[in-house]
Amino acid sequence: MRALVTGGAGFIGGHLVEKLVERDWDVIVFDNFERASLETLRTLPSEAELRRIDIRDPEAMKRYAGDVDVIFHLAALTDVVESEVKKDEYWNVNVVGTENVLKIAKDVGAKLVFTSSAAVYGELNNVAREDLKPNPISFYGVTKLECEKLCMRYYEEYGIDIVVLRLFNVFGERAQGGVVKIFLERAREGKPLIIYGDGEAVRDFIYVGDVVDALIKAALSGKASGRILNIASGKPTRVRELAEAVVKETGVKIIYESERRWEIKFSLADISLAKKLLNWNPKIYLIDWIRSSLRSS
Ligand SMILES: NC(=O)c1ccc[n+]([C@@H]2O[C@H](COP(=O)([O-])OP(=O)(O)OC[C@H]3O[C@@H](n4cnc5c(N)ncnc54)[C@H](O)[C@@H]3O)[C@@H](O)[C@H]2O)c1
């Protein structure tokens, strides 16, 4: 199998490339490296072909895509706060870039797996099922929702085999951001953990290895075509609980500061559809991973 991974030099993309190469796939990466992780670049397997290509440049993509069976489209700008001030750039990379990638999938007849985000739901009152009406509160979420619509249009109009995965909060080795990485880094430096708000905000954290597993299953399964699937643990974790798990291992303090804008207070997924259609199950639980990660460092 030959795969194209856009954003393959980023956090999740790097883990995906590693796993695909391990499984003997031929892998080509398109990344402009602007937000690539240095740690990921250092660990990317040499068997993968790396191309400095911007997804806003359709000609360059066409030149190098070749005969790929599957396109994993992960390249995106992902900072929720930044998305509010750089709307044009976020629109161009996330939405126009995704349409460029969809056109390549159409031209070469490849299957496409797209990574959307829980940000499309916005503020939730209850567990999110995929049929809930999306209501993004950030511009980042707006762009991801637009991408989902484009994916569904290409699926319906051109019969491209597409699966959309709505990822919740992804954690794991070589993460580039997110509360888990920040707490671990501060704790390792003996600094207090900062909680914005009262710490009661609920998140659904999913391990990067479990996400990679879902991405590959989505590529190989015929059952999820044209579907949107939540990829999460299905387990609620309060930010305070996460902080307390870190404190228990390291003894650092917690500081509370005022709540930030764009922060969602409740985010939790129903993952029964992904479990059923992909025959997928998350295996690593956040608090266990935190413990073992702090004990091994
Ligand atoms: N990490 C999470 O918690 C999370 C949650 C939900 C959804 N997602 C989605 O998963 C995907 C991967 O996320 P990540 O955490 O690995 O992000 P990341 O920022 O670590 O990686 C994104 C990669 O895309 C590349 N990129 C950005 N703009 C590009 C462009 N114009 N052309 C080519 N390459 C470009 C960057 O250089 C980077 O290597 C994204 O689509 C993101 O929206 C991530």
Side-chain angles (χ1 to χ4, degrees):
M1 294 282 272
R2 184 169 163 80
L4 163 61
V5 181
T6 73
F11 164 45
I12 303 169
H15 282 271
L16 173 64
V17 170
E18 208 171 77
K19 187 54 85 185
L20 291 173
V21 167
E22 213 177 284
R23 294 175 65 153
D24 274 339
W25 288 49
D26 286 333
V27 181
I28 175 164
V29 170
F30 286 176
D31 200 299
N32 66 1
F33 302 126
E34 279 178 20
R35 306 275 168 117
S37 137
L38 279 182
E39 249 186 303
T40 295
L41 282 175
R42 255 185 253 123
T43 53
L44 272 181
S46 57
E47 292 88 339
E49 181 184 337
L50 292 193
R51 294 268 169 203
R52 183 188 292 275
I53 286 178
D54 197 299
I55 56 167
R56 287 166 293 185
D57 182 351
E59 292 310 316
M61 284 204 284
K62 245 186 250 167
R63 210 171 309 134
Y64 292 103
D67 270 341
V68 291
D69 303 296
V70 181
I71 301 177
F72 295 96
H73 176 37
L74 281 72
L77 294 176
T78 63
D79 185 323
V80 170
V81 178
E82 187 188 58
S83 75
E84 299 299 328
V85 286
K86 293 187 175 172
K87 290 190 171 169
D88 286 349
E89 197 180 341
Y90 270 67
W91 185 267
N92 280 327
V93 173
N94 292 3
V95 181
V96 179
T98 293
E99 180 144 31
N100 292 338
V101 175
L102 282 162
K103 284 180 183 156
I104 299 283
K106 175 171 167 273
D107 289 349
V108 303
K111 176 160 187 171
L112 190 129
V113 183
F114 172 68
T115 48
S116 185
S117 163
V120 301
Y121 288 117
E123 194 64 70
L124 292 165
N125 298 315
N126 219 321
V127 181
R129 252 181 43 174
E130 292 85 347
D131 54 5
L132 193 76
K133 193 174 183 298
N135 186 22
I137 60 168
S138 67
F139 192 70
Y140 166 67
V142 168
T143 65
K144 284 291 181 180
L145 182 58
E146 204 56 36
C147 293
E148 288 190 357
K149 289 182 187 159
L150 278 172
C151 287
M152 289 310 132
R153 186 154 73 72
Y154 272 69
Y155 170 75
E156 278 154 21
E157 285 181 17
Y158 305 111
I160 300 175
D161 194 353
I162 294 184
V163 185
V164 171
L165 301 184
R166 280 185 185 151
L167 312 184
F168 280 61
N169 287 71
V170 187
F171 69 92
E173 299 81 7
R174 308 193 293 274
Q176 300 223 71
V179 63
V180 176
K181 174 199 162 80
I182 295 169
F183 279 3
L184 288 183
E185 268 179 7
R186 289 188 67 90
R188 285 188 178 116
E189 291 165 10
K191 292 181 181 159
L193 312 182
I194 302 169
I195 292 183
Y196 298 96
D198 58 8
E200 293 304 309
V202 169
R203 294 276 176 281
D204 190 332
F205 293 98
I206 178 77
Y207 180 59
V208 65
D210 288 325
V211 171
V212 166
D213 191 24
L215 283 161
I216 297 176
K217 285 194 155 144
L220 296 176
S221 159
K223 290 191 192 155
S225 297
R227 305 299 290 260
I228 297 177
L229 307 176
N230 287 338
I231 297 298
S233 67
K235 293 189 171 70
T237 304
R238 292 184 191 283
V239 174
R240 181 182 43 75
E241 287 173 286
L242 163 62
E244 283 164 359
V246 176
V247 168
K248 202 167 158 206
E249 293 298 319
T250 59
V252 293
K253 302 238 165 332
I254 299 177
I255 298 174
Y256 288 87
E257 289 192 356
S258 51
E259 203 170 271
R260 292 183 302 183
R261 253 180 111 189
W262 320 119
E263 291 270 3
I264 285 174
K265 293 192 188 64
F266 183 87
S267 176
L268 180 61
D270 179 326
I271 56 170
S272 44
L273 199 57
K275 280 182 169 178
K276 185 172 128 203
L277 295 182
L278 300 181
N279 188 23
W280 167 84
N281 250 309
K283 295 189 185 75
I284 306 273
Y285 177 53
L286 172 70
I287 304 294
D288 297 335
W289 182 83
I290 289 207
R291 250 182 242 131
S292 69
S293 155
L294 283 169
R295 286 178 193 176
S296 66
S297 61

